[in-house]
Amino acid sequence: MNKKLLSIFSMLLTVSTTWAQVYESTDNETPEEDEITVIDREGREEVIEFPEAMTYDLDSLLNLYMAKTYLDEADDCNMKNINPSYTKEDYVDRLYRMPTIMEMNYNDVVQKFIDRYSGRLRHSISYMLGASNFYMPIFEEALETYRLPLELKYLPIIESALNPKAVSRVGATGLWQFMLTTGKQYGLQVNSLVDERRDPVKSSYAAARYLSDLYNIFGDWNLVIAAYNCGPANINKAIHRANGEKDYWQIYPYLPKETRGYVPAFIAANYIMTYYSQHNICPMTTRLPAQTDTIMVNRNIHLEQVAEVMGINIDLLRSLNPMYRRDVVPGATELSPIRLPQTEVGRFIDLQDSICNHRAGDFAKRVEVEVKDDVPTYYHKSKRYSRRSRAVRRGGGLNVTIRRGQTLSEIAKRNGTTVAKLRRLNGIKGNNIRAGKKLRVR
């Protein structure tokens, strides 16, 4: 090992010693656990939670339409399904050689997360390496727009396992796991029909803006991604408790449990997505879908209408348009995009009227309805109406006093009759009535 690398290695060990007194891993992790325990040299235990996406079941990831349709196990993979062992120096050297702006520190907690990705989650990494062909160009373009480090493109690995429809235990949604309030703050529309947190393009640009704002606050990338996980307020609290220290590894003990594992998980994700072949992981083979394009519509359209008229698989449409929560494109509210295979855009334009008219009654909301007012409104028997009910049953009548501001319609509704009957019983020709007068309502 050359002197420069040895110096860096020594510095990293010093950092590790400062915050954790050189952690030693325990061997008590079981397949059911969503956390790890580390022990310092004084025998003190600490529990670190895995980010939620590191606990996802691979079967649920592969159930996505894009995964089922365009990703396959590699037939030509000649690698043995064995995770080789390497020395600490090997990991330090590889992390150092990665072309990143952000620090990729090594310590035993980072090692734990590398082991998780290269061991139990190796098949999930194979999936994500294949799926990254869909998403990484989008992430990189958004990050480039805001001139952010491109290694941030691996944040969705630990946020959502590259699932655009992922929803966390606390409601964070999409590839970048935006909470509702933060998503709206960064321009992502969320309502009953649309959730732009699930839109890969819009959410990526929103995430880039948010990360840029966090860097303007903290000026340190480790603190930025920690704040992305637990919010700036929690980072500020940890800094305060650490007597003003602004180094992630110094404020580490004061962070929430999951956030303590977040930066190590991010470093491990960068490592495994770069050095996967060193751990005998083969990417799933990718059959990229046809190029796509967007068309804007100004009418409400249901994706089933598009699928049935154009003969396009409905799951493909849902996969290309994950932001539409109930398959409804609300073009009548505002111009709305529909993403289609590029070869189908011209056909959509030609068939748009047919698409909108197809099964229109099944999908359209009623705009105007008639009220059935030729019979009295039914009211459940109650004290309020019992006097009138007794009078009607006896064949008698009932008078009411007109109050200031009341209308015939309101009086009719309150007394279970119709405006027409009120007019007939009381000889009223128009709508003019005076407060204080009495009306017959039978």
Side-chain angles (χ1 to χ4, degrees):
M1 183 181 295
N2 61 43
K3 291 183 179 179
K4 182 177 180 181
L5 188 57
L6 183 59
S7 174
I8 293 170
F9 176 54
S10 300
M11 178 183 68
L12 292 174
L13 285 180
T14 301
V15 170
S16 177
T17 304
T18 301
W19 67 268
Q21 294 81 44
V22 187
Y23 274 96
E24 296 176 356
S25 304
T26 61
D27 297 322
N28 60 354
E29 185 184 351
T30 65
E32 292 77 22
E33 287 181 337
D34 294 337
E35 56 191 25
I36 56 175
T37 301
V38 290
I39 302 175
D40 66 22
R41 59 173 46 167
E42 296 180 4
R44 293 175 299 196
E45 288 190 356
E46 181 181 3
V47 174
I48 301 173
E49 288 185 359
F50 286 112
E52 193 171 340
M54 294 186 74
T55 66
Y56 289 169
D57 183 0
L58 180 62
D59 289 341
S60 67
L61 297 176
L62 293 179
N63 199 35
L64 298 172
Y65 176 81
M66 295 292 262
K68 291 188 295 185
T69 308
Y70 297 113
L71 295 175
D72 295 309
E73 295 287 347
D75 293 330
D76 59 348
C77 182
N78 297 319
M79 298 180 183
K80 297 178 180 179
N81 190 24
I82 297 173
N83 185 20
S85 297
Y86 295 103
T87 65
K88 184 181 295 185
E89 290 79 7
D90 290 327
Y91 289 109
V92 171
D93 179 52
R94 289 172 185 169
L95 288 168
Y96 171 71
R97 288 190 287 109
M98 290 171 58
T100 64
I101 293 174
M102 300 172 66
E103 288 185 341
M104 296 291 162
N105 304 127
Y106 177 87
N107 50 51
D108 285 341
V109 179
V110 171
Q111 183 68 62
K112 272 279 193 179
F113 282 88
I114 292 174
D115 292 344
R116 177 85 165 195
Y117 275 132
S118 60
R120 188 183 309 165
L121 296 179
R122 59 191 292 108
H123 298 297
S124 295
I125 292 299
S126 179
Y127 154 74
M128 285 186 273
L129 285 164
S132 66
N133 288 285
F134 301 126
Y135 298 116
M136 290 305 161
I138 298 172
F139 302 161
E140 289 172 347
E141 186 175 302
L143 295 169
E144 276 287 328
T145 299
Y146 288 88
R147 297 181 178 173
L148 302 180
L150 291 185
E151 49 267 34
L152 289 167
K153 67 187 178 183
Y154 294 127
L155 265 183
I157 296 288
I158 54 175
E159 284 289 340
S160 63
L162 296 186
N163 178 1
K165 295 185 178 180
V167 179
S168 77
R169 292 183 293 263
V170 295
T173 298
L175 289 162
W176 294 89
Q177 290 290 278
F178 272 103
M179 293 296 289
L180 182 63
T181 303
T182 310
K184 288 190 171 185
Q185 181 183 346
Y186 282 86
L188 297 177
Q189 183 182 172
V190 181
N191 56 45
S192 295
L193 298 179
V194 177
D195 190 344
E196 290 182 340
R197 295 176 297 173
R198 292 162 47 164
D199 183 316
V201 176
K202 291 185 178 180
S203 66
S204 295
Y205 279 87
R209 279 183 55 211
Y210 184 32
L211 289 165
S212 179
D213 288 347
L214 289 174
Y215 188 74
N216 289 336
I217 295 171
F218 295 109
D220 178 276
W221 285 114
N222 281 341
L223 295 184
V224 165
I225 59 175
Y228 191 91
N229 175 254
C230 68
N234 283 318
I235 300 302
N236 284 326
K237 287 177 188 175
I239 291 172
H240 180 74
R241 288 168 181 159
N243 298 317
E245 289 285 352
K246 293 185 178 180
D247 181 271
Y248 172 82
W249 302 107
Q250 296 295 322
I251 69 170
Y252 175 90
Y254 307 102
L255 294 169
K257 270 200 306 186
E258 183 176 323
T259 308
R260 283 178 231 154
Y262 196 75
V263 169
F266 174 74
I267 295 170
N270 271 267
Y271 172 90
I272 202 65
M273 295 296 280
T274 304
Y275 296 109
Y276 59 89
S277 61
Q278 305 295 326
H279 293 271
N280 291 334
I281 298 174
C282 287
M284 295 185 77
T285 57
T286 307
R287 292 172 285 109
L288 290 174
Q291 291 185 331
T292 62
D293 202 354
T294 348
I295 188 163
M296 306 299 291
V297 296
N298 60 3
R299 289 183 279 182
N300 289 353
I301 295 177
H302 198 284
L303 293 182
E304 284 188 23
Q305 292 175 291
V306 180
E308 291 173 9
V309 173
M310 298 186 67
I312 299 175
N313 187 295
I314 185 65
D315 288 325
L316 172 59
L317 289 177
R318 288 170 177 151
S319 182
L320 293 177
N321 300 275
M323 72 288 286
Y324 297 125
R325 306 172 78 170
R326 290 168 174 79
D327 292 349
V328 177
V329 184
T333 304
E334 61 180 351
L335 277 175
S336 300
I338 300 180
R339 184 165 291 278
L340 296 165
Q342 196 174 60
T343 54
E344 300 292 342
V345 171
R347 284 186 65 225
F348 179 89
I349 294 171
D350 294 338
L351 294 171
Q352 188 164 351
D353 287 339
S354 299
I355 291 169
C356 292
N357 293 330
H358 175 68
R359 294 176 56 198
D362 294 342
F363 301 113
K365 292 188 294 186
R366 295 182 300 169
V367 177
E368 185 175 351
V369 295
E370 291 185 1
V371 178
K372 186 177 179 63
D373 62 356
D374 57 342
V375 294
T377 304
Y378 172 76
Y379 285 89
H380 190 273
K381 184 178 179 181
S382 66
K383 289 183 178 179
R384 182 174 183 180
Y385 298 106
S386 60
R387 192 171 127 229
R388 176 184 180 276
S389 300
R390 286 195 300 270
V392 170
R393 285 198 299 270
R394 291 195 303 266
L398 184 66
N399 294 327
V400 297
T401 302
I402 302 171
R403 297 177 182 175
R404 183 182 299 274
Q406 279 190 317
T407 64
L408 284 175
S409 177
E410 181 184 350
I411 294 170
K413 184 176 180 180
R414 291 173 66 89
N415 290 277
T417 186
T418 66
V419 171
K421 287 187 177 181
L422 286 178
R423 289 193 182 115
R424 187 169 61 251
L425 283 170
N426 295 279
I428 300 172
K429 292 189 177 180
N431 291 314
N432 292 329
I433 55 176
R434 287 196 302 173
K437 293 286 185 181
K438 290 192 178 294
L439 285 181
R440 294 178 61 198
V441 294
R442 181 187 179 281

